[in-house]
Amino acid sequence: MRFERKMSSIAEQLIEMGFDTVKAAEAAKNCTTLETAMDWLVSRIESEEMEVDPDAAAAIAESIADAPAASSSEPAAVAKSYKCNDCGKIMADEHVMLFHAAKTKHENFEESSEAIKPLTEEEKKVEAAKLKERIKESMKKKAAQEELDNIEKEKKRVQEGKKMLEMNEKRKEMEQLAAIAQRKREKEEEAAAKKRVLDQIKADREARKAAAAGLPPPPVATPAPVAAPVVPVEKKDYKEATIQIRLPTGETIRSTFPSESKLADVRQWLESTKPELVPFALLQPFPRKVMTAEDMLQPLGDHGLVPNGSLVITRAA
């Protein structure tokens, strides 16, 4: 009963400081003193298991400093304690000892007859200042890490965007060269057809003249077929394939794969990146085609996805 009252008192003090009710109760259950409970909670903050508003940090620390001193009307019980031989810290019970061991990786402990003294007002102020600094430092590190992560994400997004633009420019350039070559072939074919018509008209005129003069018609020269010029196409050896995938929500994601990868590698990447979409089917929009199990075993180049291409995720039937 006495332990339950002490645990309830610690939880109430933590709740008054502004900590979450569930976390405060959990801290009070695992710790026997206000000091260790604060350490327990701060360790959760540092490991991002619990969020604390940074604007409330000062208020939390001040409420710790203003917490009333332990009542001296009840005689302190001489309880068995534990001592860490690695750092010399005294702990009230096994819960605190286990928490200390997990936090510091210390291993050498022994029983001690020293009693845990309650914190004085001055010690409370010191602990409050320490807690305030630790919370500020934890939130500062977290904000700095988030900023670095955002910078890296933006760099990656810009690089992928540049790569996609470069590939699109190369594709447009190849399409323009192909269109120029096609127009050239059409003009040459048109000129050859025009020449054949003129030659036929000339032959007909000479045949009429010969018939009028009573002479046999002159032989008609058969024009040699004009071979269409062959435009050499430069074959490029692409090392990567950039695939753009549209999700059922309308959002698009991109990723780069080795050009020799199979379509199954793309599906495996999607299943690990977006497990909430499983099961799903893959669709190629142009030309429209639903990918089958046999398609999964074929390289990306066989589906026209090298150096870049698009896929659509649909819900599996």
Side-chain angles (χ1 to χ4, degrees):
M1 291 295 291
R2 184 175 178 182
F3 174 74
E4 292 179 356
R5 287 198 302 271
K6 185 175 182 180
M7 182 177 69
S8 176
S9 175
I10 293 174
E12 289 174 358
Q13 292 182 65
L14 292 173
I15 293 171
E16 289 175 359
M17 293 174 192
F19 286 102
D20 178 74
T21 303
V22 176
K23 290 295 181 182
E26 190 175 353
K29 181 180 178 181
N30 288 278
C31 307
T32 57
T33 64
L34 181 60
E35 178 187 8
T36 54
M38 289 188 298
D39 285 341
W40 190 91
L41 288 170
V42 170
S43 68
R44 294 306 186 277
I45 297 172
E46 293 174 347
S47 61
E48 296 187 1
E49 293 181 14
M50 181 180 69
E51 297 290 339
V52 172
D53 186 352
D55 295 335
I60 295 172
E62 289 174 3
S63 62
I64 296 172
D66 295 337
S71 175
S72 59
S73 60
E74 186 176 328
V78 180
K80 184 184 295 185
S81 60
Y82 294 88
K83 181 179 180 180
C84 176
N85 293 328
D86 292 330
C87 65
K89 186 171 182 178
I90 304 296
M91 288 147 283
D93 55 29
E94 291 183 1
H95 294 289
V96 182
M97 180 183 68
L98 293 174
F99 173 76
H100 178 77
K103 181 179 179 183
T104 63
K105 307 301 181 184
H106 292 170
E107 298 178 353
N108 300 316
F109 298 92
E110 66 178 3
E111 294 183 353
S112 174
S113 59
E114 295 183 40
I116 303 298
K117 296 180 181 180
L119 296 177
T120 64
E121 291 297 329
E122 189 63 29
E123 289 173 336
K124 283 184 179 181
K125 290 181 181 179
V126 173
E127 292 298 324
K130 289 181 180 179
L131 176 61
K132 180 178 178 180
E133 290 302 320
R134 289 173 67 180
I135 292 176
K136 282 185 178 180
E137 187 65 24
S138 175
M139 300 306 293
K140 189 186 298 183
K141 288 181 180 179
K142 182 181 177 182
Q145 186 60 44
E146 288 179 351
E147 184 176 356
L148 289 175
D149 292 343
N150 290 335
I151 291 174
E152 289 300 323
K153 287 180 181 178
E154 181 64 18
K155 285 182 179 179
K156 187 176 180 181
R157 186 190 67 80
V158 171
Q159 290 175 355
E160 289 182 352
K162 287 182 178 179
K163 189 180 293 185
M164 182 65 72
L165 287 174
E166 290 175 358
M167 290 183 175
N168 287 336
E169 289 297 328
K170 289 180 181 179
R171 179 178 56 79
K172 289 179 181 178
E173 182 181 351
M174 296 299 294
E175 290 176 353
Q176 289 175 355
L177 292 175
I180 292 172
Q182 178 66 22
R183 285 196 296 270
K184 184 178 179 180
R185 286 195 296 271
E186 290 174 355
K187 287 182 179 179
E188 290 175 349
E189 291 174 358
E190 183 180 351
K194 185 176 181 180
K195 184 176 183 302
R196 286 195 297 272
V197 171
L198 293 175
D199 290 344
Q200 184 65 43
I201 292 173
K202 181 180 178 180
D204 291 343
R205 187 184 299 118
E206 291 178 352
R208 286 195 297 270
K209 286 181 180 180
L215 299 174
V220 178
T222 304
V226 179
V230 178
V231 180
V233 179
E234 182 182 359
K235 185 177 180 181
K236 293 186 178 181
D237 184 17
Y238 293 101
K239 301 297 183 182
E240 294 181 341
T242 301
I243 311 298
Q244 176 175 287
I245 301 142
R246 182 157 56 90
L247 306 181
T249 59
E251 177 188 1
T252 58
I253 57 176
R254 293 187 183 90
S255 187
T256 302
F257 302 88
S259 57
E260 66 272 11
S261 298
K262 293 181 173 57
L263 187 60
D265 297 327
V266 178
R267 182 180 181 90
Q268 185 177 3
W269 176 78
L270 284 169
E271 290 176 349
S272 62
T273 305
K274 298 288 183 181
E276 67 275 8
L277 298 179
V278 179
F280 61 83
L282 284 177
L283 176 79
Q284 190 172 27
F286 303 107
R288 184 178 177 84
K289 177 184 179 183
V290 177
M291 298 302 184
T292 64
E294 294 180 356
D295 294 328
M296 296 296 163
L297 301 177
Q298 297 176 358
L300 296 177
D302 291 359
H303 299 293
L305 298 174
V306 178
N308 55 70
S310 299
L311 294 172
V312 179
I313 290 182
T314 61
R315 298 293 185 184

